[in-house]
Amino acid sequence: MRAMTWAIFQNVTKFDQTSTFVIQLVTFFLFVFFCWLAAHGLTVLETLATLAGSATFVMSLLYILMMFAAPAINPAVSFHSIDLSWKNLVPNFNVNYFTSLSILVFAVGGCEKISPYVNKLKHPSKNFPKAMIALAIMVMVSAILGTIAMAMMFDPNDVKNNFDSYIANGDYWAFQKLGNYYHLGNTLLVIYAITNVIGQFSTLCLSIDAPLRILLGSKEAKEFIPAGLLKKNKYGAYVNGIKMVGILSGAIILSQSLVPGAAKVMSQLIKLNSTMMPLRYLWVFAAYIALRKAHDKYQSDYVFAKHQGIAYFFGTWCFLITAACCLLGIYSTDPFALTLNIVTPLVLVALGVILPMVKKYQDQKNNKAE
């Protein structure tokens, strides 16, 4: 909705002035609509998501290149000076610093999704590490250059004093300023906003459907998931699973309807996401340690480390660092945000415990009936 506002009005004033309750109510109905859409096929949206994702990546790179090239095109462009002395590069190790570390883990989130394809590489032991290193370098370079570009474009003191607004609108303001540098008006802003609208809507729909297919589509799911959640419709979508997602996410949407200010809602959601997403990886690292303990039972063309001690060290190290970053990231001075950050993971973990229990009860009941 924010992206649509920027695309239509080229500013976000009307959106921010609208009651949070109204915005969250509209968001809820949009979410329900996309839950319905996810249950009715995704072919078109998958294509749009691919195009929008590629376009967003290209525009991010263009922003960095065009930002640094602007003075050569328009000598009137003036940037804020950046002091890159050692004292400014070393962060202040305070509460704000440690509670923001989860965003660093979140930055490389998603790379675990390529794990099923590791053994399909021609030379997994050589090519997979190279791919992961390349991924980390791309994220690092984009983050560093993008941060420097935005620091040159915006006054750090203004960012600090209007932090929530910059989290919600910073990328739009950046493209708006960039367009002014090149005498293009709001053209770049509108293109970026439209790209965001398509990308966010298609990603929303895919994010409802894809995780359910991974969770409920495996052969092991029948052993731990209640039969009702495994029900499919004629489109192959897990209808009851979509309803479950609708209830969980809908509860978060409606709970924020009383939060003052749309920018504040956006800030809370970004922080919640940066904490909840990395928390999932704790299960990945725990599973890795468990697999290494049973390494003689499984064969793989690629292993991270052949030596058991090294494997245990890095598995444990990743687990502890991720856990620490996420637990620190949960902390917030805002009571509502703190409650949301605590309750959400507890509910999801509880759900993971309850579903197998329900399945076990169903099996016992069916056995008695037989």
Side-chain angles (χ1 to χ4, degrees):
M1 289 176 63
R2 182 175 293 275
M4 282 193 292
T5 304
W6 275 107
I8 297 170
F9 301 107
Q10 283 93 67
N11 66 68
V12 78
T13 304
K14 291 185 178 181
F15 184 85
D16 284 340
Q17 289 177 347
T18 304
S19 164
T20 309
F21 177 78
V22 173
I23 291 174
Q24 292 304 98
L25 196 62
V26 175
T27 301
F28 176 76
F29 284 114
L30 274 174
F31 180 71
V32 171
F33 169 74
F34 277 94
C35 283
W36 174 84
L37 199 61
H40 288 76
L42 297 165
T43 306
V44 176
L45 283 171
E46 287 173 349
T47 304
L48 286 176
T50 303
L51 292 173
S54 302
T56 302
F57 178 70
V58 169
M59 291 203 70
S60 298
L61 295 179
L62 279 177
Y63 165 73
I64 295 172
L65 293 173
M66 293 177 71
M67 172 63 189
F68 287 112
I73 307 297
N74 183 1
V77 171
S78 61
F79 293 143
H80 293 279
S81 60
I82 303 177
D83 184 359
L84 295 178
S85 60
W86 182 250
K87 66 175 183 178
N88 286 329
L89 290 176
V90 177
N92 294 320
F93 296 101
N94 52 26
V95 174
N96 289 334
Y97 173 77
F98 287 108
T99 55
S100 299
L101 286 176
S102 60
I103 294 177
L104 297 179
V105 182
F106 179 60
V108 291
C111 60
E112 76 283 351
K113 293 177 183 177
I114 67 172
S115 58
Y117 309 102
V118 174
N119 291 326
K120 294 183 180 181
L121 293 171
K122 192 172 183 180
H123 302 290
S125 59
K126 294 181 179 179
N127 293 340
F128 181 67
K130 290 180 181 178
M132 294 304 293
I133 291 171
L135 181 149
I137 291 174
M138 286 174 63
V139 172
M140 181 179 67
V141 170
S142 297
I144 292 175
L145 292 180
T147 301
I148 292 174
M150 295 194 77
M152 294 169 64
M153 183 177 277
F154 299 104
D155 181 0
N157 291 320
D158 188 48
V159 175
K160 184 178 180 180
N161 295 330
N162 300 281
F163 191 66
D164 289 338
S165 294
Y166 272 91
I167 286 180
N169 305 301
D171 48 347
Y172 301 102
W173 287 335
F175 277 97
Q176 190 174 45
K177 270 198 170 188
L178 192 63
N180 292 332
Y181 291 163
Y182 286 87
H183 304 294
L184 295 173
N186 287 333
T187 303
L188 294 178
L189 164 66
V190 173
I191 294 173
Y192 177 74
I194 291 173
T195 302
N196 254 1
V197 171
I198 298 172
Q200 288 176 19
F201 278 168
S202 54
T203 300
L204 171 60
C205 202
L206 291 174
S207 296
I208 295 169
D209 182 76
L212 287 174
R213 291 182 185 273
I214 295 172
L215 174 67
L216 306 178
S218 65
K219 60 181 181 180
E220 292 83 3
K222 295 180 180 179
E223 300 178 30
F224 304 103
I225 304 296
L229 287 177
L230 299 176
K231 180 184 177 183
K232 290 183 180 181
N233 62 12
K234 62 181 180 179
Y235 301 103
Y238 293 95
V239 285
N240 290 332
I242 290 175
K243 291 177 183 177
M244 179 181 70
V245 171
I247 293 171
L248 293 171
S249 297
I252 294 177
I253 294 171
L254 293 177
S255 69
Q256 290 187 301
S257 60
L258 300 178
V259 175
K264 188 71 173 179
V265 171
M266 178 71 76
S267 178
Q268 286 182 356
L269 284 176
I270 290 174
K271 193 64 186 293
L272 177 66
N273 211 25
S274 72
T275 305
M276 297 305 103
M277 293 284 282
L279 273 174
R280 303 177 307 165
Y281 306 147
L282 296 181
W283 303 108
V284 176
F285 300 133
Y288 174 74
I289 295 170
L291 279 172
R292 289 304 303 225
K293 287 184 178 180
H295 69 283
D296 54 328
K297 297 181 181 179
Y298 303 96
Q299 296 298 320
S300 175
D301 294 331
Y302 170 76
V303 291
F304 169 67
K306 294 181 179 180
H307 192 278
Q308 284 290 90
I310 294 176
Y312 286 144
F313 170 79
F314 279 105
T316 305
W317 181 81
C318 288
F319 183 93
L320 293 176
I321 291 296
T322 304
C325 290
C326 291
L327 291 174
L328 288 168
I330 287 173
Y331 172 76
S332 176
T333 54
D334 182 352
F336 178 81
L338 178 62
T339 302
L340 193 64
N341 291 346
I342 293 174
V343 171
T344 304
L346 289 179
V347 169
L348 294 176
V349 171
L351 193 65
V353 174
I354 292 171
L355 290 181
M357 293 173 63
V358 173
K359 173 61 177 175
K360 185 177 180 180
Y361 171 77
Q362 288 179 344
D363 290 343
Q364 289 176 347
K365 188 176 180 180
N366 291 335
N367 292 334
K368 288 181 180 180
E370 292 175 358

